[in-house]
Amino acid sequence: MGDKMKTVGETLISILEAYGVDVVFGIPGVHTVELYRGLAASRIQHITPRHEQGAGFMADGYARVSGKPGVCLVITGPGLTNTITAMAQAYQDSVPMLVISGVNARATLGHGRGQLHELPNQQAMMATLALMSHTLLDPNDLPSVMDRAFAILGSSRPGPVHIEIPTDVMAEPISHRATSVTRPGRPRAETEKMMEVAEQCRAARKPVILCGGGAVSAAPEIRVLAARLDAPVVTTTNARGIMANHSLSVPASPSLKSVRSLIADADLVIALGTQMGQTDYDMFADKGFPALGNLVRVDIDPEQLARGPFPARSLHSTSENFVTDLLALLDEARSINGATARAEKARTDARTELGERVEREVALLELIRETLPGTIIVGDSTQAVYAGNLYYEADRPNGWFNAATGYGALGYGPPAAIGAAIAEPDTPVICLVGDGGFQFALSEIGSAKDCGANVIFLVWNNDGYGEIEKYMIECGIQPEGVKPSAPDFAMIAAAYGIPGKHLASIEDLPAALKEAAGKSGPFVIEMHERLVHPDAGQS
């Protein structure tokens, strides 16, 4: 069969389809219209956010829940720079994201002649942030460039990848055969190293497993490994839910003293797919995480293995490959380590350590989970989310994630929740967002309306930036700039044709959640923090 001539834009869509892409997020403009030429006839759904930052955050939420890369189409210049914040969050949290942007025509690049949306060197700017940034100068390079992009997204530590296509290249014809998708291999530790780790496991009497976001896809295997080693499993924010309802689960932050005590007392610590970064392991910046002389660290990223804390043994492997290979070397389950009691003590001590105020907020999260089993809670940076990052057990993998880790971008929650809802349309998705953070992305409820996303926007209203106000007071600083006014969020929802309500009592929350989950499309529920904390100050 002879080659079929298509434009670069049409071929791009065909390649995305071949790689299993079923949704893209973007706002079309004159610098991307040729990329849309083949989109309407494809199987790919297009979601239009209200802002390109929303496109990036939607792609992030979609990727976390679906396991596929989130894909964005954005214009050159402001469209791309608007997406940078979302790409930075994806970089910090290792979320696979493919951003395809326009750029001005090849003959204009680098001349600084005032072209529309021109940047001095767009590709160089993106190269500082993306795992790969490529300018497509030759149309016939498109298939190989896309193969390279998906190879990076699928075989190494995930993150944002950027491809820019000049406007004059988009419409050029390209001779393109049907895409032959290749799936690159993923790293696996050497057999000799695995045998040494297995020997350590046999000798250990108080092992502990630490799991980060990179371990989520290995959740079933990790549950088996924990039982076989009789080891408590401490999960960071992005790993919550992989040990749901398991007696060995410790769904509490390694920033808590009680959890650190469990880890320090271990004679073997296996860290799977975790950056071991400050926002998970030293949230209070007290530098109290214990030094570990018995740390076995497993990561897909060899550079991460070379960063602290330095392990006694490091293995370059995916979590799935490591756990699968280790299980093949170990005997059947044993219960000689008293791990159930150790895990229970860590959980009990961690809850006590939270204090009454945070405990109330954790109880709120648990009320949501009990009301809507299997829900996905996508958080913004707000008080109840900080509490959950300290202690909360989702009842499923990817049932709890937010922007209050790593990069920490406000306005993440609403669009990321929309992306999550698109990935799992039949699952209730809760966006837990503050009144301040919601206003970073308030218009995205219109996007949720357009695409029928089943998102319940639960607004935690504390009359401004309550957490920052509290911190300023603790630092002896007169609070300033922390009281932005907020609209009536239920009325804003009504203006978009979205149902919404105010809670008069915390006892009303379960009924409101069930009502919202019973409807198709988005729903807004506004609650004031005084419902949870009656002693909260008036404003």
Side-chain angles (χ1 to χ4, degrees):
M1 182 180 292
D3 295 348
K4 182 178 180 181
M5 299 296 285
K6 293 183 177 182
T7 67
V8 166
E10 290 172 315
T11 303
L12 172 68
I13 299 302
S14 297
I15 293 173
L16 291 176
E17 281 189 301
Y19 273 100
V21 174
D22 51 20
V23 60
V24 296
F25 305 89
I27 302 174
V30 296
H31 285 74
T32 54
V33 290
E34 280 297 335
L35 299 183
Y36 281 74
R37 184 172 292 279
L39 189 58
S42 75
R43 298 185 302 273
I44 298 175
Q45 179 185 12
H46 183 272
I47 303 297
T48 307
R50 296 301 189 266
H51 190 282
E52 287 92 354
Q53 180 172 291
F57 286 148
M58 288 178 191
D60 179 303
Y62 171 87
R64 294 186 197 233
V65 174
S66 71
K68 300 178 180 180
V71 180
C72 301
L73 294 178
V74 297
I75 66 166
T76 186
L80 185 58
T81 55
N82 284 343
T83 314
I84 285 178
T85 296
M87 294 176 70
Q89 185 77 44
Y91 181 90
Q92 286 282 49
D93 281 355
S94 301
V95 176
M97 180 185 298
L98 175 59
V99 177
I100 302 170
S101 77
V103 71
N104 284 311
R106 286 169 290 185
T108 71
L109 297 180
H111 291 289
R113 292 171 179 157
Q115 296 291 312
L116 179 64
H117 302 328
E118 184 178 38
L119 285 167
N121 190 333
Q122 182 171 279
Q123 189 276 329
M125 176 185 70
M126 300 309 298
T128 66
L129 172 65
L131 302 179
M132 161 191 164
S133 180
H134 182 90
T135 305
L136 185 73
L137 299 176
D138 185 340
N140 293 305
D141 288 340
L142 178 64
S144 62
V145 170
M146 294 296 290
D147 288 345
R148 181 179 159 214
F150 278 97
I152 292 171
L153 291 166
S155 65
S156 57
R157 178 183 175 183
V161 168
H162 169 241
I163 297 171
E164 63 179 18
I165 305 178
T167 52
D168 60 321
V169 173
M170 294 177 187
E172 288 197 5
I174 173 176
S175 177
H176 174 60
R177 293 184 175 89
T179 300
S180 177
V181 174
T182 57
R183 303 293 182 187
R186 292 164 66 80
R188 180 170 240 125
E190 299 92 330
T191 301
E192 182 179 351
K193 286 188 175 182
M194 291 302 305
M195 294 178 69
E196 291 170 351
V197 173
E199 189 59 36
Q200 285 183 273
C201 291
R202 295 187 192 98
R205 291 298 175 264
K206 290 185 177 181
V208 169
I209 300 172
L210 307 179
C211 289
V216 172
S217 58
E221 294 82 2
I222 290 171
R223 293 170 74 94
V224 175
L225 178 64
R228 194 163 298 183
L229 296 182
D230 199 32
V233 179
V234 178
T235 47
T236 66
T237 297
N238 287 329
R240 298 287 169 78
I242 68 174
M243 292 292 291
N245 303 312
H246 199 294
S247 62
L248 295 176
S249 176
V250 182
S253 172
S255 298
L256 295 170
K257 293 178 182 178
S258 50
V259 180
R260 289 174 171 179
S261 178
L262 171 73
I263 296 169
D265 192 46
D267 57 1
L268 174 64
V269 178
I270 300 176
L272 301 174
T274 173
Q275 189 181 32
M276 303 190 77
Q278 184 252 335
T279 53
D280 277 314
Y281 289 81
D282 194 19
M283 186 184 299
F284 305 111
D286 60 9
K287 299 183 179 179
F289 188 78
L292 301 174
N294 52 9
L295 175 63
V296 173
R297 194 166 180 191
V298 181
D299 206 281
I300 195 172
D301 183 1
E303 291 187 21
Q304 195 62 42
L305 293 171
R307 303 182 180 113
F310 299 108
R313 191 183 304 278
S314 62
L315 294 95
H316 181 212
S317 174
T318 65
S319 295
E320 303 98 303
N321 286 343
F322 171 83
V323 177
T324 299
D325 293 348
L326 183 58
L327 286 171
L329 297 171
L330 294 174
D331 299 328
E332 290 304 310
R334 56 183 182 168
S335 57
I336 63 173
N337 297 323
T340 299
R342 290 160 57 216
E344 182 178 3
K345 183 178 188 308
R347 291 194 300 269
T348 301
D349 291 350
R351 290 294 288 250
T352 302
E353 191 178 338
L354 295 177
E356 182 181 359
R357 186 177 185 87
V358 175
E359 170 64 30
R360 289 179 193 166
E361 293 165 4
V362 172
L364 169 72
L365 301 174
E366 292 171 340
L367 177 62
I368 296 171
R369 182 191 64 203
E370 291 161 9
T371 303
L372 298 178
T375 190
I376 299 171
I377 301 180
V378 182
D380 210 74
S381 293
T382 196
Q383 286 176 324
V385 171
Y386 296 135
N389 286 350
L390 283 173
Y391 193 110
Y392 174 71
E393 180 74 294
D395 60 3
R396 51 158 288 170
N398 289 318
W400 173 263
F401 59 88
N402 55 77
T405 61
Y407 199 59
L410 270 171
Y412 168 89
I418 294 169
I422 291 168
E424 286 193 20
D426 297 326
T427 299
V429 176
I430 306 288
C431 172
L432 183 54
V433 61
D435 57 301
F438 200 10
Q439 293 184 80
F440 274 60
L442 184 55
S443 61
E444 297 301 353
I445 64 173
S447 306
K449 169 76 172 179
D450 290 347
C451 65
N454 294 319
V455 178
I456 303 169
F457 297 96
L458 181 57
V459 186
W460 174 276
N461 191 333
N462 59 12
D463 302 311
Y465 302 130
E467 196 71 13
I468 302 303
E469 181 180 15
K470 176 185 172 186
Y471 185 72
M472 293 177 81
I473 292 171
E474 290 173 350
C475 293
I477 298 170
Q478 178 66 36
E480 187 65 49
V482 294
K483 291 292 186 183
S485 60
D488 183 316
F489 291 105
M491 291 184 68
I492 293 290
Y496 277 99
I498 295 170
K501 62 172 46 185
H502 302 277
L503 293 185
S505 167
I506 195 65
E507 285 75 24
D508 297 335
L509 179 59
L513 290 173
K514 289 178 181 178
E515 177 187 353
K519 294 183 180 294
S520 179
F523 198 105
V524 174
I525 301 172
E526 182 176 352
M527 60 176 290
H528 199 279
E529 68 164 335
R530 283 191 294 271
L531 302 185
V532 177
H533 303 303
D535 56 340
Q538 303 288 326
S539 63

